[in-house]
Amino acid sequence: MTIEYQDSNARMSQVAIHNGTVYLAGQVPSDASADMRGQTEQVLARIDELLAQAGTSKQNLISAQVWVTDMAEFGQMNEAWEAWVVPGRPPVRAALEAKLAKPEWKVEIMVVAALPEA
């Protein structure tokens, strides 16, 4: 069994690839001063980068988990998500309200994608 890890430190990896599937760690915004939509756009851009690094794209998403700190701002997250997701190819998704590791973060997103077939 081969598992490839990318962007790793002693605690975790940002990407793990196994058996044609790419698993991303939860991604958070780099600029926490942005509103929910802005933070979500940052997270989705980082997801795009990591998926490309792994050899795939949002075209091949399988699933997503979304955590937001305030459901009152859920609509802003969905606006960014809907502008980003590939039309006709939305992944299965769960979204819930949660307290995140840093209080200034409003959103964290974790995805799983398939590698394209050769």
Side-chain angles (χ1 to χ4, degrees):
M1 170 176 65
T2 302
I3 303 173
E4 177 185 345
Y5 299 98
Q6 299 178 355
D7 289 347
S8 304
N9 61 33
R11 181 178 300 148
M12 63 182 284
S13 296
Q14 293 299 315
V15 179
I17 304 169
H18 175 259
N19 201 25
T21 306
V22 177
Y23 303 85
L24 266 55
Q27 300 301 308
V28 294
S30 55
D31 176 9
S33 68
D35 64 6
M36 175 67 82
R37 182 172 181 142
Q39 287 194 20
T40 303
E41 289 168 346
Q42 292 172 44
V43 168
L44 296 173
R46 179 66 177 144
I47 288 171
D48 281 335
E49 292 170 6
L50 290 170
L51 290 174
Q53 173 184 305
T56 191
S57 72
K58 64 185 176 183
Q59 177 79 19
N60 300 309
L61 285 180
I62 296 169
S63 68
Q65 296 176 1
V66 180
W67 297 272
V68 297
T69 56
D70 186 350
M71 279 299 187
E73 298 178 296
F74 189 67
Q76 290 182 48
M77 184 281 299
N78 271 330
E79 288 172 4
W81 176 269
E82 290 167 6
W84 176 80
V85 75
V86 176
R89 296 186 63 90
V92 297
R93 188 183 96 169
L96 59 123
E97 185 176 81
K99 184 176 179 180
L100 300 180
K102 290 188 178 179
E104 61 269 23
W105 290 340
K106 295 178 175 284
V107 62
E108 182 169 351
I109 302 174
M110 183 176 180
V111 302
V112 176
L115 287 172
E117 292 184 8

